Every structure is written in C-alpha cells, then in structure tokens.
Amino acid sequence: MRRSAPPRWRIRSGIPVATLVVVLVALTAHGRGARALRPRVSRDATTTWIWHYVDRDAPIRVPVFRQMLEVAPDDVEVVVASVDEAASARARSSLGDRTGTGRRIHYLTTTVPLGAWARDPYVFFERGGASCALLPPRHAVTSETAANSSVPLALAARWPGLQTREEPFALEGGDILPTDRHVFVGAATLDKNRRHLRIAPEDLLRRIAAVMGRRPVVVGHGGGELLHEHADMFLTPLDDQTVVLGDPRLALGLLPGTPDESNHGPALRPLGRFRRSRQLQLIPRYERVASDLRAQGIEVRRLPILHGTSNGTGDDQVVLTWNNVLLHESHGIRHAFVPQYGVRSLDAEAHARWRSWGYVVHAIDMRATIPHGGAVRC
C-alpha cells in the first residue's frame, strides 16, 4: 500500500528535541537571557506543566496550582505564564519560586490576554521523536482561543526544536487525545467541523490520521446528544488498548439512600443539581460508547461520573468527573492527579480504582472550579 507523504512541519530550530506531550495548559514567550526549557522524556504524560495565571480567575485557580506544586514529582518543570510583568509578579507572589521538591518555577510573560483553560486551543503530541503542536485556523476559533493559539509559536522560541502546524480544521486539546498509536477524537470535534466548516467527518478523520500518524477512534456520541463537548471530561486513555470511561450508573449506586429528583444529599447540593432522571437518561449513551470501544478491541474500565446543572439561575452544565486527570510517570512510579469534590462515597471509589490500576493518587480539591466547567487536566 502506498504511504502518503508525511506532513511538512514548520521547524523553529534544528536542535534535537526531547519528547513532550503536554497534558495540562500551555503558553509562553521568552525573556531576554532566559534559560531554554529542556523537558525530559516521560512515556505516559508530561514532564512540564505550563499554566496560565489570569487575574480574574486567580482566586479559583491559584489554590489548585498550590496543591499541585506541593506534590509535583522532582522531574517536573513548572512554567507559569501571564499577560505582562505586573501579572507575573502577582503570580510569583501567590505561588512562590519553587515546587515542593525545590525545583525552580519559571515565570514567563506574553503580550496577549490569556484564558484560564489554555489547553483547549491546540494539541501537543509526539511524532518521530519530535515535539509537535497542532493549531486550528484562526478563522475557526474565538478571539480568546485565537490569542491562546499564538502560545505554541511563542513557545517554540523558548523550546528548541518544537514544531508547529496550523491545520484547516477546528480542534481543541480537550477533545483530541493521542496515545502512541491511536488518537481518540470526540464526536464534538466532528460535529463542529461539519456544521461550521463543512468538513465531512470521514475527510476530517483522514486528515487527522495523516497529520498525527495515528489511527483515529471516535468517541462520545453514544446516540443522541453529545456526552460533553470535550472527551477528556468522560474518557481517559491509559494506553493504546485501555481507556477509562465515566459511568453514571456506578455513581448512582454509590450515592446514599435513594435520592429524589432534586436532592442528592448535603455533600452534593453545594456543587449543583444532579437529577437522577438525568443520569438514567445518559446511562444507555455511555453503554453505547463502551460497546463501540470494546468492538474495536479496546479494554474499557469505569469510573463514576455525574452530570448536572449549576445552582445558579441559568442552566449551565456541570460534571463531577474523575476522568479529567493528569497522569505522570516518574522514576518508575505512576502518578495520577485526580479531582476530589468532597462527596465521600464517590471520591473514595474513584480514587480506589485509580490505585487499583497502579497509580499513586494525589487528590486535588476541584470544588471551586465546578461552575467553570473544567477539572485537573483542563
């Protein structure tokens, strides 16, 4: 069979690069005389955490950053990016200069405003030993996402050898999840490109396969509405043959008593409204996703998940997920940075399952971020 030619990547430096898969949030531009970042290789995840410091979100995000800094393994480099020097000084004042293991925190600035969920505008992955950043076309993204999309270009000046490529399709890092041989593509990505850019799903999947050098696996429809706009909120790839999928039936079985339509107990009430009928509605859709994955030879493990709405006057969707995690392998030990919501039965079950799969669990309190729609990986 004739192989298609590999895509041409814009290479910002001829220096050999370390392998990198960024799994949190990313950005940056470099200051004069600053030391080039040198990430080390990690098979499962990333050795560099890159965060945005945004003043309006600091009261919510800074406590999460502090928790992660305290338990960051000693081979993780941390980069905190801000819009300008004044914001960078506030970030440094809030977070300090060192991680819990004494590793230096890098503070960098950019001239563009940044969003809190900075992972969304691009996809980082490794191909042929090179670190790659896949960008959407500027006309296919919002103004905030477009500003964040400039991040990998600026990052390339600071990270020798980072390759970047702008693609003519809409993409978000929370909905395109690569492993070594597969790339799990959320159904939301197919829908968005079909509706807004008139790109047929089969054409999009062929292009993703050619650019990323991986076999696409579509997840997330399960029949009817989308489970979520980002697959990483309900699906966690562990390797090419194993994923973890959310399970609302499991969550319902762990809740105390038999909750009625408006009350799931005092621990859940401050977090949102999680109606039993909503979980029952979604169970068949999750089972369809699980069945489709198993039919492709992929092992499916399960975690509790709850879908609901915010406690405000609107109808904003909220999800309690233990899938949206950050995974990292350090010195032969696998670490999982997993959300914790203060719902004892659900937290305990989810964390126990991660431990049974061979991970050291670091529980990260994400209660304050729930109204904003993300968790640890976002």
Side-chain angles (χ1 to χ4, degrees), residues 37-71:
L37 295 168
R38 301 280 183 175
R40 286 161 301 283
V41 173
S42 176
R43 184 180 67 83
D44 282 349
T46 181
T47 56
T48 304
W49 297 348
I50 311 176
W51 299 335
H52 286 183
Y53 175 89
V54 181
D55 280 322
R56 71 175 182 272
D57 298 307
I60 295 169
R61 301 292 288 169
V62 165
V64 174
F65 295 162
R66 285 174 177 160
Q67 293 176 72
M68 298 190 70
L69 288 173
E70 289 178 4
V71 294

PDB file of all heavy atoms in Angstrom, residues 37-71:
ATOM      1  N   LEU A  37      14.024  25.872  28.211  1.00  0.00           N
ATOM      2  CA  LEU A  37      13.448  24.745  28.927  1.00  0.00           C
ATOM      3  C   LEU A  37      13.845  23.450  28.242  1.00  0.00           C
ATOM      4  O   LEU A  37      13.859  23.354  27.020  1.00  0.00           O
ATOM      5  CB  LEU A  37      11.923  24.881  28.949  1.00  0.00           C
ATOM      6  CG  LEU A  37      11.410  26.088  29.732  1.00  0.00           C
ATOM      7  CD1 LEU A  37       9.930  26.285  29.452  1.00  0.00           C
ATOM      8  CD2 LEU A  37      11.646  25.907  31.209  1.00  0.00           C
ATOM      9  N   ARG A  38      14.164  22.430  29.028  1.00  0.00           N
ATOM     10  CA  ARG A  38      14.597  21.143  28.481  1.00  0.00           C
ATOM     11  C   ARG A  38      13.755  20.030  29.100  1.00  0.00           C
ATOM     12  O   ARG A  38      14.162  19.418  30.091  1.00  0.00           O
ATOM     13  CB  ARG A  38      16.080  20.904  28.793  1.00  0.00           C
ATOM     14  CG  ARG A  38      17.001  21.984  28.243  1.00  0.00           C
ATOM     15  CD  ARG A  38      17.270  21.779  26.766  1.00  0.00           C
ATOM     16  NE  ARG A  38      18.203  22.786  26.266  1.00  0.00           N
ATOM     17  CZ  ARG A  38      18.685  22.793  25.039  1.00  0.00           C
ATOM     18  NH1 ARG A  38      18.320  21.846  24.198  1.00  0.00           N
ATOM     19  NH2 ARG A  38      19.503  23.738  24.641  1.00  0.00           N
ATOM     20  N   PRO A  39      12.574  19.741  28.579  1.00  0.00           N
ATOM     21  CA  PRO A  39      11.752  18.688  29.167  1.00  0.00           C
ATOM     22  C   PRO A  39      12.396  17.319  28.985  1.00  0.00           C
ATOM     23  O   PRO A  39      13.033  17.053  27.972  1.00  0.00           O
ATOM     24  CB  PRO A  39      10.448  18.777  28.369  1.00  0.00           C
ATOM     25  CG  PRO A  39      10.855  19.370  27.070  1.00  0.00           C
ATOM     26  CD  PRO A  39      11.982  20.304  27.372  1.00  0.00           C
ATOM     27  N   ARG A  40      12.231  16.469  29.970  1.00  0.00           N
ATOM     28  CA  ARG A  40      12.718  15.098  29.859  1.00  0.00           C
ATOM     29  C   ARG A  40      11.601  14.177  29.393  1.00  0.00           C
ATOM     30  O   ARG A  40      10.436  14.523  29.476  1.00  0.00           O
ATOM     31  CB  ARG A  40      13.260  14.635  31.223  1.00  0.00           C
ATOM     32  CG  ARG A  40      14.588  15.269  31.563  1.00  0.00           C
ATOM     33  CD  ARG A  40      14.858  15.173  33.047  1.00  0.00           C
ATOM     34  NE  ARG A  40      13.814  15.828  33.822  1.00  0.00           N
ATOM     35  CZ  ARG A  40      13.729  17.145  33.961  1.00  0.00           C
ATOM     36  NH1 ARG A  40      14.621  17.923  33.384  1.00  0.00           N
ATOM     37  NH2 ARG A  40      12.778  17.693  34.668  1.00  0.00           N
ATOM     38  N   VAL A  41      11.993  13.017  28.914  1.00  0.00           N
ATOM     39  CA  VAL A  41      11.037  12.081  28.336  1.00  0.00           C
ATOM     40  C   VAL A  41      10.209  11.417  29.431  1.00  0.00           C
ATOM     41  O   VAL A  41      10.725  10.995  30.459  1.00  0.00           O
ATOM     42  CB  VAL A  41      11.773  11.006  27.513  1.00  0.00           C
ATOM     43  CG1 VAL A  41      10.789   9.935  27.052  1.00  0.00           C
ATOM     44  CG2 VAL A  41      12.453  11.645  26.321  1.00  0.00           C
ATOM     45  N   SER A  42       8.898  11.311  29.212  1.00  0.00           N
ATOM     46  CA  SER A  42       8.007  10.550  30.083  1.00  0.00           C
ATOM     47  C   SER A  42       7.018   9.821  29.196  1.00  0.00           C
ATOM     48  O   SER A  42       6.355  10.437  28.375  1.00  0.00           O
ATOM     49  CB  SER A  42       7.266  11.469  31.054  1.00  0.00           C
ATOM     50  OG  SER A  42       6.336  10.749  31.821  1.00  0.00           O
ATOM     51  N   ARG A  43       6.915   8.503  29.316  1.00  0.00           N
ATOM     52  CA  ARG A  43       6.096   7.720  28.386  1.00  0.00           C
ATOM     53  C   ARG A  43       4.608   8.038  28.520  1.00  0.00           C
ATOM     54  O   ARG A  43       3.896   8.170  27.532  1.00  0.00           O
ATOM     55  CB  ARG A  43       6.314   6.226  28.633  1.00  0.00           C
ATOM     56  CG  ARG A  43       5.568   5.351  27.639  1.00  0.00           C
ATOM     57  CD  ARG A  43       5.806   3.883  27.929  1.00  0.00           C
ATOM     58  NE  ARG A  43       5.203   3.492  29.194  1.00  0.00           N
ATOM     59  CZ  ARG A  43       3.917   3.164  29.318  1.00  0.00           C
ATOM     60  NH1 ARG A  43       3.119   3.209  28.270  1.00  0.00           N
ATOM     61  NH2 ARG A  43       3.422   2.808  30.486  1.00  0.00           N
ATOM     62  N   ASP A  44       4.115   8.164  29.753  1.00  0.00           N
ATOM     63  CA  ASP A  44       2.676   8.282  29.946  1.00  0.00           C
ATOM     64  C   ASP A  44       2.151   9.702  29.780  1.00  0.00           C
ATOM     65  O   ASP A  44       1.014   9.910  29.405  1.00  0.00           O
ATOM     66  CB  ASP A  44       2.290   7.790  31.352  1.00  0.00           C
ATOM     67  CG  ASP A  44       2.259   6.277  31.420  1.00  0.00           C
ATOM     68  OD1 ASP A  44       2.324   5.654  30.345  1.00  0.00           O
ATOM     69  OD2 ASP A  44       2.191   5.729  32.526  1.00  0.00           O
ATOM     70  N   ALA A  45       2.949  10.675  30.129  1.00  0.00           N
ATOM     71  CA  ALA A  45       2.381  12.011  30.165  1.00  0.00           C
ATOM     72  C   ALA A  45       3.452  13.061  29.968  1.00  0.00           C
ATOM     73  O   ALA A  45       4.312  12.929  29.118  1.00  0.00           O
ATOM     74  CB  ALA A  45       1.636  12.212  31.489  1.00  0.00           C
ATOM     75  N   THR A  46       3.427  14.085  30.740  1.00  0.00           N
ATOM     76  CA  THR A  46       4.308  15.214  30.515  1.00  0.00           C
ATOM     77  C   THR A  46       5.304  15.392  31.637  1.00  0.00           C
ATOM     78  O   THR A  46       5.053  15.017  32.772  1.00  0.00           O
ATOM     79  CB  THR A  46       3.498  16.510  30.370  1.00  0.00           C
ATOM     80  OG1 THR A  46       4.393  17.593  30.125  1.00  0.00           O
ATOM     81  CG2 THR A  46       2.703  16.818  31.608  1.00  0.00           C
ATOM     82  N   THR A  47       6.434  15.969  31.327  1.00  0.00           N
ATOM     83  CA  THR A  47       7.388  16.353  32.365  1.00  0.00           C
ATOM     84  C   THR A  47       7.376  17.853  32.587  1.00  0.00           C
ATOM     85  O   THR A  47       8.190  18.367  33.341  1.00  0.00           O
ATOM     86  CB  THR A  47       8.812  15.913  31.986  1.00  0.00           C
ATOM     87  OG1 THR A  47       9.140  16.485  30.709  1.00  0.00           O
ATOM     88  CG2 THR A  47       8.907  14.408  31.900  1.00  0.00           C
ATOM     89  N   THR A  48       6.491  18.559  31.921  1.00  0.00           N
ATOM     90  CA  THR A  48       6.406  20.007  32.075  1.00  0.00           C
ATOM     91  C   THR A  48       4.952  20.420  32.218  1.00  0.00           C
ATOM     92  O   THR A  48       4.120  20.068  31.390  1.00  0.00           O
ATOM     93  CB  THR A  48       7.031  20.728  30.868  1.00  0.00           C
ATOM     94  OG1 THR A  48       8.380  20.293  30.699  1.00  0.00           O
ATOM     95  CG2 THR A  48       7.013  22.236  31.074  1.00  0.00           C
ATOM     96  N   TRP A  49       4.653  21.143  33.292  1.00  0.00           N
ATOM     97  CA  TRP A  49       3.311  21.683  33.485  1.00  0.00           C
ATOM     98  C   TRP A  49       3.379  23.161  33.168  1.00  0.00           C
ATOM     99  O   TRP A  49       4.185  23.890  33.756  1.00  0.00           O
ATOM    100  CB  TRP A  49       2.847  21.507  34.937  1.00  0.00           C
ATOM    101  CG  TRP A  49       2.737  20.078  35.361  1.00  0.00           C
ATOM    102  CD1 TRP A  49       2.775  18.967  34.570  1.00  0.00           C
ATOM    103  CD2 TRP A  49       2.564  19.618  36.704  1.00  0.00           C
ATOM    104  NE1 TRP A  49       2.634  17.833  35.329  1.00  0.00           N
ATOM    105  CE2 TRP A  49       2.507  18.203  36.652  1.00  0.00           C
ATOM    106  CE3 TRP A  49       2.457  20.256  37.945  1.00  0.00           C
ATOM    107  CZ2 TRP A  49       2.346  17.416  37.781  1.00  0.00           C
ATOM    108  CZ3 TRP A  49       2.291  19.468  39.069  1.00  0.00           C
ATOM    109  CH2 TRP A  49       2.234  18.074  39.001  1.00  0.00           C
ATOM    110  N   ILE A  50       2.507  23.603  32.275  1.00  0.00           N
ATOM    111  CA  ILE A  50       2.517  25.005  31.855  1.00  0.00           C
ATOM    112  C   ILE A  50       1.141  25.581  32.136  1.00  0.00           C
ATOM    113  O   ILE A  50       0.140  25.116  31.597  1.00  0.00           O
ATOM    114  CB  ILE A  50       2.875  25.135  30.367  1.00  0.00           C
ATOM    115  CG1 ILE A  50       4.138  24.314  30.070  1.00  0.00           C
ATOM    116  CG2 ILE A  50       3.106  26.597  30.020  1.00  0.00           C
ATOM    117  CD1 ILE A  50       4.529  24.303  28.613  1.00  0.00           C
ATOM    118  N   TRP A  51       1.104  26.562  33.009  1.00  0.00           N
ATOM    119  CA  TRP A  51      -0.171  27.119  33.469  1.00  0.00           C
ATOM    120  C   TRP A  51      -0.308  28.571  33.062  1.00  0.00           C
ATOM    121  O   TRP A  51       0.675  29.294  32.918  1.00  0.00           O
ATOM    122  CB  TRP A  51      -0.256  27.055  35.007  1.00  0.00           C
ATOM    123  CG  TRP A  51      -0.188  25.685  35.573  1.00  0.00           C
ATOM    124  CD1 TRP A  51      -0.532  24.510  34.965  1.00  0.00           C
ATOM    125  CD2 TRP A  51       0.267  25.328  36.889  1.00  0.00           C
ATOM    126  NE1 TRP A  51      -0.341  23.456  35.820  1.00  0.00           N
ATOM    127  CE2 TRP A  51       0.152  23.921  37.000  1.00  0.00           C
ATOM    128  CE3 TRP A  51       0.741  26.043  37.984  1.00  0.00           C
ATOM    129  CZ2 TRP A  51       0.496  23.231  38.163  1.00  0.00           C
ATOM    130  CZ3 TRP A  51       1.088  25.369  39.140  1.00  0.00           C
ATOM    131  CH2 TRP A  51       0.964  23.971  39.222  1.00  0.00           C
ATOM    132  N   HIS A  52      -1.540  29.014  32.942  1.00  0.00           N
ATOM    133  CA  HIS A  52      -1.844  30.438  32.779  1.00  0.00           C
ATOM    134  C   HIS A  52      -2.216  31.037  34.133  1.00  0.00           C
ATOM    135  O   HIS A  52      -3.033  30.450  34.858  1.00  0.00           O
ATOM    136  CB  HIS A  52      -3.033  30.643  31.851  1.00  0.00           C
ATOM    137  CG  HIS A  52      -2.726  30.410  30.408  1.00  0.00           C
ATOM    138  ND1 HIS A  52      -3.652  30.605  29.421  1.00  0.00           N
ATOM    139  CD2 HIS A  52      -1.599  30.001  29.776  1.00  0.00           C
ATOM    140  CE1 HIS A  52      -3.122  30.327  28.256  1.00  0.00           C
ATOM    141  NE2 HIS A  52      -1.881  29.954  28.445  1.00  0.00           N
ATOM    142  N   TYR A  53      -1.656  32.186  34.425  1.00  0.00           N
ATOM    143  CA  TYR A  53      -2.138  32.973  35.558  1.00  0.00           C
ATOM    144  C   TYR A  53      -2.976  34.113  34.986  1.00  0.00           C
ATOM    145  O   TYR A  53      -2.472  34.955  34.234  1.00  0.00           O
ATOM    146  CB  TYR A  53      -0.974  33.536  36.379  1.00  0.00           C
ATOM    147  CG  TYR A  53      -1.426  34.459  37.490  1.00  0.00           C
ATOM    148  CD1 TYR A  53      -1.731  33.956  38.747  1.00  0.00           C
ATOM    149  CD2 TYR A  53      -1.572  35.827  37.258  1.00  0.00           C
ATOM    150  CE1 TYR A  53      -2.168  34.794  39.765  1.00  0.00           C
ATOM    151  CE2 TYR A  53      -2.008  36.673  38.269  1.00  0.00           C
ATOM    152  CZ  TYR A  53      -2.302  36.155  39.516  1.00  0.00           C
ATOM    153  OH  TYR A  53      -2.736  36.986  40.508  1.00  0.00           O
ATOM    154  N   VAL A  54      -4.262  34.121  35.316  1.00  0.00           N
ATOM    155  CA  VAL A  54      -5.197  35.146  34.850  1.00  0.00           C
ATOM    156  C   VAL A  54      -5.820  35.779  36.086  1.00  0.00           C
ATOM    157  O   VAL A  54      -6.407  35.075  36.920  1.00  0.00           O
ATOM    158  CB  VAL A  54      -6.290  34.540  33.944  1.00  0.00           C
ATOM    159  CG1 VAL A  54      -7.249  35.609  33.452  1.00  0.00           C
ATOM    160  CG2 VAL A  54      -5.648  33.802  32.764  1.00  0.00           C
ATOM    161  N   ASP A  55      -5.704  37.084  36.214  1.00  0.00           N
ATOM    162  CA  ASP A  55      -6.132  37.764  37.442  1.00  0.00           C
ATOM    163  C   ASP A  55      -7.573  37.444  37.828  1.00  0.00           C
ATOM    164  O   ASP A  55      -7.861  37.162  38.993  1.00  0.00           O
ATOM    165  CB  ASP A  55      -5.965  39.284  37.288  1.00  0.00           C
ATOM    166  CG  ASP A  55      -4.523  39.734  37.496  1.00  0.00           C
ATOM    167  OD1 ASP A  55      -3.843  39.169  38.377  1.00  0.00           O
ATOM    168  OD2 ASP A  55      -4.076  40.637  36.773  1.00  0.00           O
ATOM    169  N   ARG A  56      -8.476  37.469  36.851  1.00  0.00           N
ATOM    170  CA  ARG A  56      -9.898  37.289  37.195  1.00  0.00           C
ATOM    171  C   ARG A  56     -10.185  35.887  37.726  1.00  0.00           C
ATOM    172  O   ARG A  56     -11.164  35.679  38.456  1.00  0.00           O
ATOM    173  CB  ARG A  56     -10.788  37.588  35.989  1.00  0.00           C
ATOM    174  CG  ARG A  56     -10.723  36.556  34.874  1.00  0.00           C
ATOM    175  CD  ARG A  56     -11.722  36.856  33.765  1.00  0.00           C
ATOM    176  NE  ARG A  56     -11.695  35.838  32.726  1.00  0.00           N
ATOM    177  CZ  ARG A  56     -10.893  35.862  31.678  1.00  0.00           C
ATOM    178  NH1 ARG A  56     -10.035  36.868  31.537  1.00  0.00           N
ATOM    179  NH2 ARG A  56     -10.927  34.899  30.772  1.00  0.00           N
ATOM    180  N   ASP A  57      -9.347  34.916  37.355  1.00  0.00           N
ATOM    181  CA  ASP A  57      -9.565  33.541  37.790  1.00  0.00           C
ATOM    182  C   ASP A  57      -8.623  33.113  38.906  1.00  0.00           C
ATOM    183  O   ASP A  57      -8.690  31.965  39.361  1.00  0.00           O
ATOM    184  CB  ASP A  57      -9.384  32.583  36.606  1.00  0.00           C
ATOM    185  CG  ASP A  57     -10.393  32.841  35.505  1.00  0.00           C
ATOM    186  OD1 ASP A  57     -11.603  32.858  35.819  1.00  0.00           O
ATOM    187  OD2 ASP A  57      -9.985  33.039  34.348  1.00  0.00           O
ATOM    188  N   ALA A  58      -7.747  34.025  39.344  1.00  0.00           N
ATOM    189  CA  ALA A  58      -6.732  33.657  40.341  1.00  0.00           C
ATOM    190  C   ALA A  58      -7.327  33.090  41.629  1.00  0.00           C
ATOM    191  O   ALA A  58      -6.797  32.106  42.169  1.00  0.00           O
ATOM    192  CB  ALA A  58      -5.835  34.858  40.641  1.00  0.00           C
ATOM    193  N   PRO A  59      -8.414  33.655  42.180  1.00  0.00           N
ATOM    194  CA  PRO A  59      -8.954  33.090  43.421  1.00  0.00           C
ATOM    195  C   PRO A  59      -9.373  31.626  43.293  1.00  0.00           C
ATOM    196  O   PRO A  59      -9.379  30.888  44.286  1.00  0.00           O
ATOM    197  CB  PRO A  59     -10.169  33.990  43.718  1.00  0.00           C
ATOM    198  CG  PRO A  59      -9.867  35.277  43.033  1.00  0.00           C
ATOM    199  CD  PRO A  59      -9.144  34.882  41.773  1.00  0.00           C
ATOM    200  N   ILE A  60      -9.717  31.194  42.089  1.00  0.00           N
ATOM    201  CA  ILE A  60     -10.137  29.810  41.862  1.00  0.00           C
ATOM    202  C   ILE A  60      -8.961  28.930  41.480  1.00  0.00           C
ATOM    203  O   ILE A  60      -8.809  27.819  41.988  1.00  0.00           O
ATOM    204  CB  ILE A  60     -11.212  29.770  40.755  1.00  0.00           C
ATOM    205  CG1 ILE A  60     -12.474  30.485  41.224  1.00  0.00           C
ATOM    206  CG2 ILE A  60     -11.527  28.336  40.345  1.00  0.00           C
ATOM    207  CD1 ILE A  60     -13.478  30.721  40.124  1.00  0.00           C
ATOM    208  N   ARG A  61      -8.102  29.424  40.583  1.00  0.00           N
ATOM    209  CA  ARG A  61      -7.043  28.598  40.025  1.00  0.00           C
ATOM    210  C   ARG A  61      -5.808  28.496  40.921  1.00  0.00           C
ATOM    211  O   ARG A  61      -5.166  27.447  40.969  1.00  0.00           O
ATOM    212  CB  ARG A  61      -6.630  29.147  38.656  1.00  0.00           C
ATOM    213  CG  ARG A  61      -7.748  29.206  37.645  1.00  0.00           C
ATOM    214  CD  ARG A  61      -8.215  27.830  37.236  1.00  0.00           C
ATOM    215  NE  ARG A  61      -7.227  27.167  36.391  1.00  0.00           N
ATOM    216  CZ  ARG A  61      -7.277  25.891  36.062  1.00  0.00           C
ATOM    217  NH1 ARG A  61      -8.250  25.134  36.515  1.00  0.00           N
ATOM    218  NH2 ARG A  61      -6.356  25.363  35.297  1.00  0.00           N
ATOM    219  N   VAL A  62      -5.452  29.577  41.607  1.00  0.00           N
ATOM    220  CA  VAL A  62      -4.235  29.551  42.422  1.00  0.00           C
ATOM    221  C   VAL A  62      -4.267  28.454  43.487  1.00  0.00           C
ATOM    222  O   VAL A  62      -3.271  27.744  43.678  1.00  0.00           O
ATOM    223  CB  VAL A  62      -3.968  30.937  43.033  1.00  0.00           C
ATOM    224  CG1 VAL A  62      -2.945  30.846  44.171  1.00  0.00           C
ATOM    225  CG2 VAL A  62      -3.455  31.894  41.960  1.00  0.00           C
ATOM    226  N   PRO A  63      -5.365  28.249  44.217  1.00  0.00           N
ATOM    227  CA  PRO A  63      -5.384  27.128  45.180  1.00  0.00           C
ATOM    228  C   PRO A  63      -5.136  25.772  44.531  1.00  0.00           C
ATOM    229  O   PRO A  63      -4.497  24.902  45.133  1.00  0.00           O
ATOM    230  CB  PRO A  63      -6.787  27.218  45.790  1.00  0.00           C
ATOM    231  CG  PRO A  63      -7.180  28.646  45.640  1.00  0.00           C
ATOM    232  CD  PRO A  63      -6.601  29.064  44.326  1.00  0.00           C
ATOM    233  N   VAL A  64      -5.623  25.582  43.302  1.00  0.00           N
ATOM    234  CA  VAL A  64      -5.377  24.327  42.591  1.00  0.00           C
ATOM    235  C   VAL A  64      -3.891  24.211  42.252  1.00  0.00           C
ATOM    236  O   VAL A  64      -3.259  23.169  42.459  1.00  0.00           O
ATOM    237  CB  VAL A  64      -6.227  24.247  41.315  1.00  0.00           C
ATOM    238  CG1 VAL A  64      -5.858  23.010  40.492  1.00  0.00           C
ATOM    239  CG2 VAL A  64      -7.714  24.230  41.664  1.00  0.00           C
ATOM    240  N   PHE A  65      -3.300  25.300  41.745  1.00  0.00           N
ATOM    241  CA  PHE A  65      -1.871  25.287  41.430  1.00  0.00           C
ATOM    242  C   PHE A  65      -1.036  24.970  42.672  1.00  0.00           C
ATOM    243  O   PHE A  65      -0.079  24.204  42.603  1.00  0.00           O
ATOM    244  CB  PHE A  65      -1.445  26.636  40.861  1.00  0.00           C
ATOM    245  CG  PHE A  65      -2.065  26.989  39.532  1.00  0.00           C
ATOM    246  CD1 PHE A  65      -2.064  28.299  39.088  1.00  0.00           C
ATOM    247  CD2 PHE A  65      -2.643  26.019  38.727  1.00  0.00           C
ATOM    248  CE1 PHE A  65      -2.619  28.640  37.874  1.00  0.00           C
ATOM    249  CE2 PHE A  65      -3.216  26.355  37.499  1.00  0.00           C
ATOM    250  CZ  PHE A  65      -3.202  27.674  37.076  1.00  0.00           C
ATOM    251  N   ARG A  66      -1.403  25.560  43.800  1.00  0.00           N
ATOM    252  CA  ARG A  66      -0.635  25.333  45.033  1.00  0.00           C
ATOM    253  C   ARG A  66      -0.668  23.865  45.439  1.00  0.00           C
ATOM    254  O   ARG A  66       0.344  23.301  45.853  1.00  0.00           O
ATOM    255  CB  ARG A  66      -1.198  26.196  46.162  1.00  0.00           C
ATOM    256  CG  ARG A  66      -0.837  27.682  46.056  1.00  0.00           C
ATOM    257  CD  ARG A  66      -1.552  28.464  47.127  1.00  0.00           C
ATOM    258  NE  ARG A  66      -1.194  29.879  47.117  1.00  0.00           N
ATOM    259  CZ  ARG A  66      -1.925  30.828  47.663  1.00  0.00           C
ATOM    260  NH1 ARG A  66      -3.086  30.508  48.275  1.00  0.00           N
ATOM    261  NH2 ARG A  66      -1.539  32.088  47.616  1.00  0.00           N
ATOM    262  N   GLN A  67      -1.849  23.258  45.340  1.00  0.00           N
ATOM    263  CA  GLN A  67      -1.953  21.837  45.674  1.00  0.00           C
ATOM    264  C   GLN A  67      -1.023  21.002  44.799  1.00  0.00           C
ATOM    265  O   GLN A  67      -0.341  20.091  45.276  1.00  0.00           O
ATOM    266  CB  GLN A  67      -3.390  21.351  45.475  1.00  0.00           C
ATOM    267  CG  GLN A  67      -4.411  21.926  46.428  1.00  0.00           C
ATOM    268  CD  GLN A  67      -5.809  21.438  46.066  1.00  0.00           C
ATOM    269  OE1 GLN A  67      -6.140  20.270  46.267  1.00  0.00           O
ATOM    270  NE2 GLN A  67      -6.618  22.320  45.510  1.00  0.00           N
ATOM    271  N   MET A  68      -0.992  21.315  43.518  1.00  0.00           N
ATOM    272  CA  MET A  68      -0.184  20.521  42.598  1.00  0.00           C
ATOM    273  C   MET A  68       1.302  20.781  42.785  1.00  0.00           C
ATOM    274  O   MET A  68       2.129  19.872  42.640  1.00  0.00           O
ATOM    275  CB  MET A  68      -0.636  20.792  41.171  1.00  0.00           C
ATOM    276  CG  MET A  68      -2.084  20.396  40.937  1.00  0.00           C
ATOM    277  SD  MET A  68      -2.596  20.429  39.219  1.00  0.00           S
ATOM    278  CE  MET A  68      -1.677  19.041  38.574  1.00  0.00           C
ATOM    279  N   LEU A  69       1.665  22.007  43.115  1.00  0.00           N
ATOM    280  CA  LEU A  69       3.071  22.309  43.366  1.00  0.00           C
ATOM    281  C   LEU A  69       3.602  21.524  44.563  1.00  0.00           C
ATOM    282  O   LEU A  69       4.757  21.089  44.575  1.00  0.00           O
ATOM    283  CB  LEU A  69       3.253  23.811  43.606  1.00  0.00           C
ATOM    284  CG  LEU A  69       3.113  24.712  42.380  1.00  0.00           C
ATOM    285  CD1 LEU A  69       3.145  26.182  42.804  1.00  0.00           C
ATOM    286  CD2 LEU A  69       4.212  24.433  41.364  1.00  0.00           C
ATOM    287  N   GLU A  70       2.759  21.347  45.570  1.00  0.00           N
ATOM    288  CA  GLU A  70       3.195  20.637  46.776  1.00  0.00           C
ATOM    289  C   GLU A  70       3.522  19.176  46.500  1.00  0.00           C
ATOM    290  O   GLU A  70       4.384  18.600  47.165  1.00  0.00           O
ATOM    291  CB  GLU A  70       2.109  20.736  47.851  1.00  0.00           C
ATOM    292  CG  GLU A  70       1.956  22.123  48.453  1.00  0.00           C
ATOM    293  CD  GLU A  70       0.841  22.181  49.477  1.00  0.00           C
ATOM    294  OE1 GLU A  70       0.244  21.109  49.759  1.00  0.00           O
ATOM    295  OE2 GLU A  70       0.561  23.280  49.987  1.00  0.00           O
ATOM    296  N   VAL A  71       2.848  18.575  45.530  1.00  0.00           N
ATOM    297  CA  VAL A  71       3.024  17.134  45.295  1.00  0.00           C
ATOM    298  C   VAL A  71       3.674  16.839  43.943  1.00  0.00           C
ATOM    299  O   VAL A  71       3.781  15.676  43.547  1.00  0.00           O
ATOM    300  CB  VAL A  71       1.671  16.397  45.386  1.00  0.00           C
ATOM    301  CG1 VAL A  71       1.127  16.464  46.799  1.00  0.00           C
ATOM    302  CG2 VAL A  71       0.644  16.981  44.399  1.00  0.00           C
TER     303      VAL A  71
END
